[in-house]
Amino acid sequence: DGGITQSPKYLFRKEGQNVTLSCEQNLNHDAMYWYRQDPGQGLRLIYYSQIVNDFQKGDIAEGYSVSREKKESFPLTVTSAQKNPTAFYLCASNRVGGSSYEQYFGPGTRLTVT
Amino acid sequence: QQQVKQSPQSLIVQKGGISIINCAYENTAFDYFPWYQQFPGKGPALLIAIRPDVSEKKEGRFTISFNKSAKQFSLHIMDSQPGDSATYFCAAIIETSGSRLTFGEGTQLTVNP
């Protein structure tokens, strides 16, 4: 089955620790995205990448970092500099040159930092 | 800056009723307006989308109405069912300049049996 895999589903960390969220896709999509979802605030774009070894900051990139070494993988690191990291994180992908409005989302990772 | 405003934040409808969710946008450069549906614990999935040169688009029980002059669009769910209970997000994109979607705040819909 083609799709996007995010792991783990739930993640718990202590304040001050960096944590990396995994995102893998086997849809052969060029573009990948990371969103943060908080109640009442919709989906806010953290980082996106349209090609391997290149990525751009989204609207709320501070305190986050990403890498795109392979087409299939787009891991997100939540650093200790992120002031309020507890949230639901969603990874998405789509084809460059296709219907840009149709993004395919993974099941999400719920991160809790205490 | 929030460029797509969505209302209401939550909505409760009886089975068989009509659910209506509204969105307003600011940037007239947006050229595609999709709606996403998200079930609890899942990622959103594309439900239906419309271009601004079309006033209405219908797919089954779901209809998008678009008012270009008012810069508003809405989702209507006819004959709402308990299985429609989910969070709905409107979004907007400038397709010709990249793939960045701008999402509304979301509406949590509950359809009571």
Side-chain angles (χ1 to χ4, degrees):
Chain A
D1 283 336
I4 299 178
T5 303
Q6 290 187 245
S7 61
K9 191 170 179 65
Y10 299 95
L11 192 53
F12 298 88
R13 280 293 183 271
K14 294 289 187 184
E15 195 173 317
Q17 294 179 336
N18 291 353
V19 58
T20 297
L21 281 60
S22 168
C23 178
E24 304 277 333
Q25 56 98 358
N26 60 4
L27 299 168
N28 199 33
H29 286 167
D30 298 295
M32 298 187 73
Y33 309 81
W34 274 106
Y35 294 92
R36 172 181 170 134
Q37 183 174 9
D38 297 282
Q41 295 195 53
L43 279 68
R44 293 182 290 168
L45 183 64
I46 304 172
Y47 269 98
Y48 64 107
S49 166
Q50 295 191 294
I51 194 170
V52 174
N53 292 323
D54 189 43
F55 47 82
Q56 286 77 41
K57 292 181 179 180
D59 300 317
I60 55 165
E62 185 176 350
Y64 300 97
S65 66
V66 294
S67 63
R68 186 86 187 276
E69 297 176 0
K70 299 187 301 182
K71 187 176 183 178
E72 301 80 17
S73 179
F74 191 41
L76 173 75
T77 296
V78 184
T79 75
S80 57
Q82 168 51 231
K83 290 183 171 55
N84 185 18
T86 294
F88 189 50
Y89 290 89
L90 286 159
C91 179
S93 72
N94 68 354
R95 287 187 302 118
V96 172
S99 302
S100 304
Y101 60 89
E102 183 167 15
Q103 294 184 5
Y104 295 80
F105 285 82
T109 291
R110 187 166 298 280
L111 173 65
T112 302
V113 177
T114 57
Chain B
Q1 181 183 0
Q2 181 62 261
Q3 295 188 59
V4 179
K5 298 290 290 182
Q6 183 172 347
S7 63
Q9 188 172 4
S10 63
L11 179 62
I12 299 174
V13 173
Q14 291 300 118
K15 178 182 176 182
I18 302 173
S19 304
I20 302 174
I21 303 170
N22 301 299
C23 286
Y25 63 97
E26 300 168 4
N27 189 348
T28 55
F30 287 137
D31 55 12
Y32 225 97
F33 299 86
W35 285 86
Y36 280 78
Q37 179 188 54
Q38 182 183 29
F39 292 106
K42 306 290 186 184
L46 179 67
L47 183 64
I48 187 173
I50 195 169
R51 289 197 179 279
D53 55 352
V54 176
S55 61
E56 185 175 283
K57 183 174 181 179
K58 184 175 180 178
E59 288 185 5
R61 295 184 294 107
F62 299 89
T63 300
I64 302 177
S65 298
F66 194 90
N67 186 331
K68 189 174 181 179
S69 61
K71 293 189 286 186
Q72 295 175 347
F73 58 110
S74 60
L75 176 69
H76 296 235
I77 306 174
M78 312 300 288
D79 187 26
S80 299
Q81 299 297 313
D84 297 330
S85 297
T87 300
Y88 292 81
F89 294 96
C90 62
I93 190 171
I94 305 172
E95 262 210 308
T96 51
S97 65
S99 309
R100 290 189 52 163
L101 281 165
T102 299
F103 286 90
E105 299 94 329
T107 296
Q108 188 169 348
L109 171 66
T110 301
V111 181
N112 288 328

